[in-house]
Amino acid sequence: MESDGEEEAAATPGAGGAPAAGRLKGCPELMVDDDMREMAKTAAWSVSSCKPGNGVASLRDDNLDTYWQSDGAQPHLVNIQFQKKVQLQLVVVYVDFKLDESYTPSKISVRAGDGFHNLKEIKTVELSKPVGWVHISLSGADPRETFIHTFMLQISVLSNHLNGRDTHIRQIKIYGPRPNHVPHQPFHFTSREFVTYSTVR
Amino acid sequence: CSARPVAIQTPNNPSVSDQDLQQQQLWNFAQRTTALPFGRGAFTLATTYTLLTEALVFPKLVLAGRLPAQQNATVNLDLSTRSVSEFKSWAEFHNGVAAGLRLAPFQEKMLRTWIQYNRPSEPNFTHAGLLLAFGLHEHLRVLTMTDAYRYLSQEHDITRLGLLLGLAASNRGTMHPAISKMLYFHVPSRHPSSTPELELPTLLQSAAVMGIGLLYEGSAHALTMKILLGEIGRRSGGDNVLEREGYAVAAGSALGLVALGRGSNAFGFMDTFLDRLFEYIGSKEVYHEKHLNAAIAADEQSGNTGQMMEGAQINVDVTAPGAIIALALIFLKAESEEIAARLSVPNSHFDLQYVRPDFVMLRIVARNLILWNRIQPTKDWVESQVPSFVNFGVSNTSQEAMDSDELDSEALFQAYVNIVTGACIALGLKYAGSRNSDAQELLYAYAVHFLNEIKHISIQTASILPKGLLQHVDRGTLELCLHLIVLSLSLVMAGSGHLQTFRLLRYLRGRSSAEGQVNYGLQMAVSLAIGFLFLGGGTHTFSTSNSAVAALLITLYPRLPTGPNDNRCHLQAFRHLYVIATEPRWIQTVDVDTGLPVYCPLEVTVAETEYYDETNYCEVTPCLLPERSVLKNIRVCGPRYWSQVITLTPEDKPWWKSGDRTDPFNGGVLYIKRKVGSCSYSDDPIGCQSLLSRAMHEVCDTPSTSCSNQANSATRSSLRVDQLVSTFSANPSLIAFAKLCCQSWKDRRNGSFEEFCSQILYECMSKDRPALLQVYISFYTIIETMWEHLKIGHFPFSDSLFLSSLKVASAYNEALIDGRITTGGIIQSTFLESLMKRIEYIFAELPNLHDSFINYLNKGKWPDAQNEAVLLSWYLQWYSIPPPHIVSSAIEKVKPRTRTSLSMLPLLRLLLPTTHLVGLMEIEKLHMTHGHEGLTLH
């Protein structure tokens, strides 16, 4: 029973890769491959608007009980500016239709670029009464395009359920591949001892 | 152009989808129409005057379309389907700026009442733009603080914005305390802590900060510099979080203006200051973290609205552009290797990840403004700006593909195109207003190549850029780079109306409908570029002084807006600051007789610089002159106008303002005097000197070649001479004489005299000596009368004084030939010599004269006949033969000293020094022939 649940949950990210396949529902657990890490700890986050007390910090506090609430015209934007060019692979957002109802996003667009001036749309997904973590993969159709290189990411909430005006998002996490410690080497070591001695210091 | 509906091409069967197509076309055209005032302001800069009783006229901004296929029916743009509020607002602001810039500076100060007269009852964007334009023309100095506060109290944000910028521009560099106070009122961080929080839009704050920079330009005011440094990195406190980037750029530009060109002299606390700036830029080295943390703590206490979360680090995306511009302007032309090295372009793949591609462009511009003298308009120089690893990367894309997971080829290409574009911008600023042909050709080549890349055109000739850029760089970046290079090109060719450049710009302007979506920012760039190309209707151009370079850099800030209302990255009002860089270096030549403008060649001498020798080149007026810092000499040259020389001392000063009494060019007017016999270049471009000669000879030849009974031919030739003289000369004597000749020539009595008159007319006109006409006629008449006397026996003369006149002329001619007179002849030598020959010929051909002479010398007896007596007197006068007794005395003295075989001539010469040689020879001959009679008499 538990094993079946895990398999079903694991299938969800794959379904996210094809928007036409259907709407995302989310899953209760945050499931990320071991070869990825969260990238946005040191990035600069900003939002297009916020209600007092429900600011951008609520997106990053690892507390599912707090949320960001927008307070302006649609679309509602979350901007993440990185200190350097980064490789990104996965965006995971936590939303809860049961608690937020018409504040729950129904359509989310992810854009990337160097800055506000040249953002390009990477992916658009639709959500259907999601509860839990929604995984949005940033990979393209080409197998070699497993991630994107970018200085800036923008998550745009285009519409909400039940035509709600403002939106609630409880958490956002952004994942990218772990860097290869030894450039040009086709594989990399995982144990601490091997990594320590993998290069001449 | 913006005041009329644009033509829309539609199929003949309109349907619902066609209406959507129409709206899309109208939307595209609206992007262009709203950008037109930018270029119109530059094009018509200072080209009109207005009466103080007239109201200012603003062209309309019409966004409607016209359907030629349906009898020019009008279709309105439906803005309700677009989520755009106040779409035309900023376009109307720019329209107001354009209308205001059009007014030429007044000779006297513009009256306050006229500005008040044009003030609308309700504040609007157009009048706000007008205030900015008046400020850029420095007219707002006449406004009192009461006037300013009345505008401020209207509570119209854009009016305040235009007023603040305009007042600061009118009082540039003065540090005017009242204006300073007004500006600081709009910087919230400068409010005392007890002040209640005012809601000030970020746009207004940006304008206030830039105004502070203009007001304190070049002052290096320490407190202001510290304040502005803090503003670059200030955390958000305003209501518009996402416009912080534009605010930081304004603060950085203002900081650069305050310490403009001061370099290391700008601060006594330089190290701390510079480290802070480099932190903003994103330097890897970290200094003074404690100070930084203290600043962060202070900012956070000022009230975080919850929209930003940046952690402890500086958001380089926001602060880098402003800091880079600040460094570029502070160290402008300072040739500081140290600062340029710290503004380095990434030199490894690892470093490249830490710098955004557009920041690479800004760094290239900045470091080259610092190393100003090394900018060269050569392809090698541009290529030298590209690091070797980038060059290697873009040249070996196939090899890089194998390692695409590790190395980002897109980053390499992005860096490459941004570096090249940054170098082109630096070239445009360095050679602004110079029309340097090397810079023009280079920038044009790069622009065309980018354009060809965008259009996927393969080039057969060798290209200056790697091909296939579009595979690695997004189209938006290429479009931006292309338009920035085109703007740089129009800086170089400012005011010249260069045709090749204009063709390129017209193509860019009109290609939108065929090749995709129209971008407002690109249309703004094209509009500005066209305006720069015809700056002031061709009367203005750009300077490269420090103030000018700063103004142009702010105008060209290489981040273009995405829509008419986009002020996020750069306040659109700042795009008009180019006016500060303009100079009316136009000159025209005016004929002092007619008072009309004429073409005239000028020789311009440019002083020697580090990289160029002293250079002479020719211009044809009206034209633009080089900058005052290199202009050395101007000379009116060519064969048609009298030469004039204006010598100047090259100095780093702005061009003379209108009405400046020290202006050697009288506000652009140089009076010249046409030489007689020359036509103006507009009347006769090819060359009239030979035309006059050919025409006169043609006229002279007609009588001798045609039959005497052909009256038409005579009439034609006489009219021709009359017209020629009137055409080439304004002297009334010459004109009257020509007419008299024409009348007499109809009688055709005296062909040789006719020919003589034609030739002397030509001589007097071409040499511009009408007074000589009478002299020539007088000489000719003398000779003719002598002949007449011989043939007819008419006695016009009662004396021989006329011969004395001829002898004076002969002496003058000999002096000319001997070189004793070196200032050039007045009368032609050949003419005088021919006169002398004629007289001697007359005397030699008279047989009776000889006998009379013999009798006179031997017997002292005059001839009985009056005719012969007159002739003898002429002969004696002409050859200065003394009385007979003197001649006899001389012969007696000479005779004993000579033998029969030797000539007496040298000794006679000594005894009779005033006698002509011919006379002496006659005397000797007489003695030899009649020697015995002499002896007998003795």
Side-chain angles (χ1 to χ4, degrees):
Chain A
M1 182 63 176
E2 182 176 359
S3 174
D4 289 342
E6 288 182 355
E7 286 179 357
E8 182 180 359
T12 306
R23 295 161 172 253
L24 303 181
K25 289 185 172 297
C27 69
E29 298 178 13
L30 176 61
M31 303 191 58
V32 180
D33 295 343
D34 285 340
D35 63 345
M36 289 197 284
R37 62 176 181 132
E38 219 278 330
M39 304 288 291
K41 293 186 180 68
T42 58
W45 290 69
S46 63
V47 290
S48 54
S49 63
C50 72
K51 185 181 175 185
N54 298 95
V56 63
S58 304
L59 291 169
R60 301 289 299 169
D61 57 0
D62 282 324
N63 184 351
L64 299 182
D65 294 329
T66 63
Y67 52 85
W68 161 58
Q69 176 170 337
S70 64
D71 194 28
Q74 288 179 349
H76 306 301
L77 306 172
V78 181
N79 310 295
I80 306 105
Q81 293 166 292
F82 298 91
Q83 292 288 311
K84 56 169 281 192
K85 198 166 193 180
V86 292
Q87 299 174 0
L88 303 179
Q89 200 166 339
L90 181 68
V91 172
V92 191
V93 299
Y94 190 96
V95 289
D96 194 330
F97 179 78
K98 292 176 182 175
L99 296 178
D100 300 320
E101 294 176 347
S102 67
Y103 289 91
T104 310
S106 69
K107 191 169 187 179
I108 293 178
S109 168
V110 181
R111 303 164 182 162
D114 292 333
F116 287 95
H117 61 288
N118 67 347
L119 292 170
K120 286 179 291 183
E121 185 164 293
I122 302 295
K123 184 148 297 185
T124 302
V125 297
E126 294 189 2
L127 313 183
S128 176
K129 303 183 179 181
V131 178
W133 296 99
V134 177
H135 297 70
I136 304 172
S137 171
L138 302 177
S139 56
D142 194 327
R144 292 184 301 171
E145 295 179 2
T146 55
F147 43 77
I148 58 173
H149 290 261
T150 191
F151 279 96
M152 177 178 177
L153 203 69
Q154 184 181 76
I155 298 170
S156 174
V157 178
L158 304 179
S159 62
N160 293 316
H161 283 75
L162 308 174
N163 289 322
R165 192 180 85 101
D166 286 313
T167 192
H168 284 181
I169 297 183
R170 292 171 178 268
Q171 288 292 305
I172 297 181
K173 292 183 181 297
I174 302 177
Y175 289 93
R178 293 186 184 277
N180 189 350
H181 294 286
V182 186
H184 303 288
Q185 191 165 277
F187 60 92
H188 63 270
F189 302 113
T190 56
S191 72
R192 185 183 301 272
E193 289 79 8
F194 273 72
V195 168
T196 301
Y197 295 104
S198 62
T199 59
V200 177
R201 295 170 184 268
Chain B
C1 187
S2 65
R4 291 187 299 272
V6 289
I8 299 177
Q9 305 299 327
T10 53
N12 289 325
N13 301 318
S15 61
V16 175
S17 61
D18 286 337
Q19 287 185 7
D20 289 342
L21 184 63
Q22 284 175 16
Q23 288 297 315
Q24 182 59 39
Q25 288 190 41
L26 281 175
W27 176 252
N28 287 344
F29 281 127
Q31 307 298 315
R32 189 176 73 181
T33 303
T34 48
L36 289 177
F38 275 106
R40 177 163 27 93
F43 200 132
T44 60
L45 176 71
T47 53
T48 55
Y49 298 86
T50 183
L51 300 177
L52 294 183
T53 51
E54 283 179 355
L56 196 60
V57 178
F58 300 94
K60 291 182 178 178
L61 286 175
V62 175
L63 303 182
R66 182 169 53 89
L67 302 175
Q70 301 180 24
Q71 302 177 12
N72 287 333
T74 301
V75 180
N76 284 315
L77 175 61
D78 184 9
L79 289 172
S80 60
T81 57
R82 313 274 178 173
S83 61
V84 185
S85 63
E86 295 185 341
F87 179 73
K88 289 174 65 175
S89 299
W90 275 99
E92 286 171 358
F93 178 89
H94 303 311
N95 201 30
V97 176
L101 290 180
R102 195 175 179 187
L103 296 180
F106 280 57
Q107 291 293 330
E108 44 192 333
K109 282 202 169 185
M110 181 184 280
L111 298 182
R112 272 181 59 247
T113 49
W114 190 82
I115 300 178
Q116 303 301 316
Y117 174 62
N118 281 275
R119 178 177 158 193
S121 54
E122 286 294 329
N124 55 50
F125 274 74
T126 307
H127 192 70
L130 193 71
L131 288 175
L132 174 58
F134 287 165
L136 292 167
H137 273 319
E138 299 189 358
H139 293 329
L140 290 192
R141 293 187 182 189
V142 300
L143 282 192
T144 64
M145 287 301 112
T146 308
D147 300 325
Y149 287 128
R150 190 174 302 129
Y151 274 115
L152 293 177
S153 64
Q154 287 180 328
E155 296 196 3
H156 188 245
D157 287 334
I158 307 303
T159 296
R160 292 165 110 183
L161 184 152
L163 179 75
L164 293 179
L165 271 181
L167 283 174
S170 280
N171 295 272
R172 231 176 358 118
T174 61
M175 296 188 281
H176 194 293
I179 298 175
S180 177
K181 188 185 305 180
M182 189 188 307
L183 292 167
Y184 274 116
F185 176 79
H186 294 83
V187 182
S189 67
R190 298 304 303 164
H191 292 170
S193 55
S194 58
T195 304
E197 277 215 6
L198 298 171
E199 286 228 356
L200 292 168
T202 310
L203 296 186
L204 201 47
Q205 297 178 40
S206 299
V209 154
M210 183 68 81
I212 292 170
L214 292 170
L215 192 70
Y216 286 82
E217 182 180 300
S219 65
H221 191 258
L223 178 60
T224 303
M225 290 171 64
K226 287 184 179 177
I227 291 167
L228 293 171
L229 181 69
E231 292 305 305
I232 296 175
R234 183 164 64 86
R235 299 306 182 91
S236 163
D239 62 341
N240 208 334
V241 168
L242 298 181
E243 290 184 351
R244 278 188 55 219
E245 194 170 335
Y247 182 77
V249 170
S253 304
L255 173 56
L257 286 171
V258 172
L260 183 59
R262 296 301 200 98
S264 305
N265 302 325
F267 1 62
F269 45 96
M270 181 173 68
D271 284 346
T272 305
F273 208 92
L274 288 180
D275 290 344
R276 190 75 183 278
L277 278 175
F278 281 109
E279 285 172 41
Y280 287 151
I281 292 172
S283 174
K284 287 178 289 180
E285 303 150 354
V286 179
Y287 301 98
H288 307 282
E289 279 214 10
K290 296 181 178 179
H291 183 262
L292 187 62
N293 291 330
I296 293 173
D299 272 343
E300 286 177 355
Q301 291 171 3
S302 69
N304 188 353
T305 59
Q307 286 184 258
M308 291 293 298
M309 187 177 72
E310 292 175 322
Q313 302 190 41
I314 293 172
N315 186 352
V316 168
D317 282 6
V318 169
T319 57
I324 293 174
I325 290 180
L327 279 167
L329 297 183
I330 293 172
F331 290 90
L332 178 59
K333 306 180 185 175
E335 308 295 324
S336 172
E337 293 272 9
E338 177 196 357
I339 302 299
R342 293 180 73 179
L343 268 173
S344 64
V345 176
N347 56 8
S348 67
H349 290 279
F350 182 78
D351 286 341
L352 198 56
Q353 299 180 72
Y354 284 86
V355 187
R356 270 169 46 172
D358 48 323
F359 292 174
V360 171
M361 183 199 292
L362 279 178
R363 290 189 182 196
I364 288 286
V365 175
R367 69 194 313 275
N368 284 308
L369 293 187
I370 294 171
L371 305 176
W372 176 264
N373 284 330
R374 305 180 199 199
I375 304 176
Q376 297 294 315
T378 62
K379 183 187 170 224
D380 290 341
W381 177 81
V382 173
E383 291 296 331
S384 72
Q385 304 295 303
V386 183
S388 56
F389 83 102
V390 172
N391 257 324
F392 183 85
V394 299
S395 302
N396 299 275
T397 52
S398 59
Q399 181 173 343
E400 297 296 334
M402 298 177 54
D403 302 318
S404 61
D405 285 354
E406 298 295 336
L407 297 176
D408 190 355
S409 62
E410 181 181 335
L412 291 172
F413 276 85
Q414 289 266 5
Y416 185 86
V417 297
N418 277 279
I419 289 167
V420 166
T421 304
C424 289
I425 293 173
L427 277 170
L429 294 170
K430 169 82 186 284
Y431 294 98
S434 69
R435 286 171 296 139
N436 184 297
S437 56
D438 294 332
Q440 183 266 322
E441 288 167 13
L442 187 64
L443 292 171
Y444 184 83
Y446 276 111
V448 166
H449 190 84
F450 271 97
L451 183 56
N452 290 332
E453 281 293 319
I454 292 170
K455 298 195 299 181
H456 298 284
I457 292 180
S458 62
I459 304 170
Q460 302 303 325
T461 59
S463 66
I464 56 178
L465 287 176
K467 299 181 183 178
L469 290 177
L470 207 51
Q471 300 172 23
H472 302 273
V473 182
D474 62 292
R475 180 186 177 129
T477 298
L478 284 186
E479 293 271 4
L480 174 68
C481 292
L482 164 63
H483 285 77
L484 290 171
I485 295 175
V486 161
L487 261 174
S488 304
L489 175 56
S490 68
L491 285 189
V492 175
M493 307 306 290
S496 67
H498 188 241
L499 188 56
Q500 188 190 45
T501 306
F502 187 47
R503 272 198 225 102
L504 174 62
L505 293 172
R506 274 165 33 108
Y507 174 79
L508 292 177
R509 181 177 178 274
R511 83 190 158 104
S512 50
S513 51
E515 297 179 17
Q517 193 79 12
V518 179
N519 182 288
Y520 170 82
L522 303 181
Q523 285 297 323
M524 184 202 78
V526 171
S527 182
L528 266 180
I530 295 177
F532 290 168
L533 193 64
F534 295 92
L535 193 63
T539 62
H540 282 66
T541 186
F542 287 126
S543 164
T544 57
S545 67
N546 285 2
S547 295
V549 173
L552 291 176
L553 179 60
I554 294 168
T555 300
L556 258 67
Y557 180 67
R559 184 76 63 76
L560 301 177
T562 58
N565 291 336
D566 178 18
N567 289 281
R568 170 162 52 202
C569 296
H570 201 46
L571 184 61
Q572 290 198 32
F574 297 156
R575 305 284 179 182
H576 299 288
L577 292 182
Y578 65 84
V579 178
I580 294 171
T582 61
E583 289 185 331
R585 300 209 303 258
W586 171 77
I587 187 168
Q588 66 169 338
T589 44
V590 172
D591 191 320
V592 72
D593 292 320
T594 64
L596 297 175
V598 290
Y599 300 114
C600 180
L602 292 184
E603 184 189 63
V604 181
T605 305
V606 174
E608 177 182 1
T609 64
E610 189 174 342
Y611 292 94
Y612 298 97
D613 293 328
E614 179 176 294
T615 305
N616 287 337
Y617 64 94
C618 266
E619 288 278 10
V620 176
T621 60
C623 63
L624 294 168
L625 297 174
E627 286 192 84
R628 189 171 170 179
S629 60
V630 294
L631 184 56
K632 196 172 180 182
N633 220 40
I634 287 181
R635 187 171 67 85
V636 175
C637 55
R640 307 190 194 187
Y641 291 97
W642 291 106
S643 181
Q644 269 188 77
V645 177
I646 298 181
T647 303
L648 307 118
T649 305
E651 48 191 349
D652 278 330
K653 286 184 179 177
W655 198 257
W656 297 270
K657 290 292 178 65
S658 174
D660 191 338
R661 291 188 182 135
T662 65
D663 185 358
F665 302 110
N666 279 320
V669 175
L670 180 61
Y671 290 99
I672 53 175
K673 173 71 172 178
R674 184 163 60 105
K675 292 179 179 177
V676 175
S678 298
C679 266
S680 64
Y681 285 92
S682 56
D683 290 340
D684 189 357
I686 300 174
C688 68
Q689 191 79 21
S690 60
L691 181 63
L692 170 64
S693 180
R694 185 168 62 252
M696 292 295 287
H697 290 316
E698 184 180 350
V699 168
C700 296
D701 289 342
T702 303
S704 59
T705 55
S706 66
C707 299
S708 58
N709 56 0
Q710 292 188 8
N712 290 336
S713 177
T715 304
R716 221 178 5 252
S717 64
S718 62
L719 289 179
R720 209 174 300 166
V721 169
D722 195 0
Q723 292 167 4
L724 280 172
V725 175
S726 303
T727 300
F728 292 112
S729 175
N731 189 280
S733 310
L734 294 180
I735 295 175
F737 182 76
K739 289 182 179 177
L740 194 61
C741 287
C742 292
Q743 293 173 9
S744 66
W745 282 349
K746 293 175 183 176
D747 301 337
R748 191 170 296 279
R749 289 176 296 175
N750 203 337
S752 60
F753 184 56
E754 187 177 315
E755 184 174 346
F756 177 73
C757 289
S758 301
Q759 293 190 21
I760 62 172
L761 270 175
Y762 168 73
E763 177 80 7
C764 294
M765 287 193 298
S766 60
K767 296 282 179 65
D768 192 26
R769 288 172 174 146
L772 291 185
L773 179 68
Q774 183 173 329
V775 174
Y776 278 105
I777 296 293
S778 184
F779 281 142
Y780 188 91
T781 309
I782 288 172
I783 302 300
E784 286 294 305
T785 309
M786 290 176 72
W787 276 112
E788 188 168 295
H789 175 84
L790 294 178
K791 287 182 285 183
I792 301 176
H794 185 61
F795 304 104
F797 301 110
S798 58
D799 55 35
S800 61
L801 278 180
F802 69 96
L803 285 176
S804 301
S805 302
L806 287 176
K807 290 176 70 175
V808 170
S810 176
Y812 171 81
N813 192 48
E814 287 177 5
L816 274 181
I817 294 174
D818 295 346
R820 280 175 281 160
I821 296 179
T822 59
T823 58
I826 296 176
I827 306 176
Q828 283 192 6
S829 295
T830 53
F831 177 69
L832 293 176
E833 288 172 5
S834 71
L835 287 181
M836 306 310 150
K837 296 290 184 185
R838 302 275 286 193
I839 293 175
E840 293 175 6
Y841 179 75
I842 288 173
F843 290 143
E845 293 299 316
L846 295 174
N848 294 333
L849 181 62
H850 188 72
D851 295 338
S852 302
F853 181 58
I854 293 172
N855 286 335
Y856 171 76
L857 281 186
N858 289 334
K859 302 172 184 178
K861 182 182 178 182
W862 281 99
D864 295 329
Q866 185 180 6
N867 189 24
E868 295 187 4
V870 168
L871 289 178
L872 180 60
S873 68
W874 288 357
Y875 187 93
L876 298 177
Q877 176 75 16
W878 182 249
Y879 290 121
S880 300
I881 298 178
H885 68 278
I886 296 179
V887 173
S888 301
S889 172
I891 291 175
E892 287 301 319
K893 291 179 182 177
V894 168
K895 184 180 176 182
R897 303 168 184 254
T898 59
R899 298 170 188 165
T900 310
S901 62
L902 292 180
S903 171
M904 303 166 57
L905 211 54
L907 297 177
L908 284 175
R909 184 76 175 176
L910 290 174
L911 294 171
L912 306 172
T914 62
T915 306
H916 195 274
L917 186 62
V918 174
L920 294 177
M921 295 171 68
E922 290 292 329
I923 292 172
E924 183 191 36
K925 187 191 303 181
L926 176 63
H927 169 70
M928 301 299 291
T929 305
H930 303 89
H932 67 285
E933 291 189 15
L935 288 174
T936 303
L937 180 61
H938 182 71

